[in-house]
Amino acid sequence: MSTVKEAVEVEVPVGTAYNQWTQFEQFPQFMEGVEEVRQLDERHNHWTTKIGGMEREFDTEIVDQLPDERITWRTTTGDTRQKGTVRFQRIDDTHTRVELVMDIEPSGAAEKAGDMLGMIDRRVKGDMQRFKEYIESRGGESGAWRGRIKPEG
């Protein structure tokens, strides 16, 4: 497993940054290689990605979600194995720190080689920068889901 960590400061209130991140179906707008995300229910999403010519489909489950603070998920099906947390920290009324930490297990020789060359890390850094540009250029969120999901067990 490789751990990738990236943070950006966005020029929007914490609620706006959090609300936009809950709009999973908008991820292809700023995440490289993400072709589609379909929200199946409050906890589950189906992803289609195409990276380096390799198309993959997998499902994720949100295991912990606290409005304006964090969203934690893990994969449940497919070849892609990952888990992660995105955290939202209020800096002031108009600025928010968004920090993404992901554990990714590359599958296949090409992905493992790409990981060793730092490609996953660079892609996540680019995705976070594109999220910053996306939310700041919009000036507001495209929607919101403010529910609380607690870890089971």
Side-chain angles (χ1 to χ4, degrees), residues 46-66:
H46 181 78
W47 294 64
T48 303
T49 62
K50 190 172 186 180
I51 299 168
M54 298 283 298
E55 187 168 300
R56 299 208 186 279
E57 291 193 36
F58 57 93
D59 293 317
T60 57
E61 175 187 33
I62 296 169
V63 294
D64 185 21
Q65 186 166 339
L66 181 61

Side-chain angles (χ1 to χ4, degrees), residues 8-10 12-14 17 88-91 94-98:
V8 292
E9 183 179 312
V10 295
V12 296
V14 69
F88 304 86
Q89 179 184 8
R90 179 187 181 280
I91 296 171
T94 58
H95 294 85
T96 303
R97 176 182 162 87
V98 182

Side-chain angles (χ1 to χ4, degrees), residues 86-136:
V86 61
R87 294 185 185 279
F88 304 86
Q89 179 184 8
R90 179 187 181 280
I91 296 171
D92 59 32
D93 288 348
T94 58
H95 294 85
T96 303
R97 176 182 162 87
V98 182
E99 180 183 69
L100 177 65
V101 178
M102 290 177 58
D103 291 323
I104 303 169
E105 186 175 309
S107 59
E111 286 182 14
K112 288 177 182 168
D115 181 37
M116 289 187 348
L117 295 170
M119 292 172 70
I120 294 172
D121 195 51
R122 282 194 301 279
R123 193 175 73 237
V124 169
K125 284 183 187 331
D127 289 348
M128 292 298 284
Q129 191 59 45
R130 283 185 293 277
F131 175 74
K132 173 182 173 60
E133 293 163 7
Y134 181 78
I135 190 66
E136 288 178 356

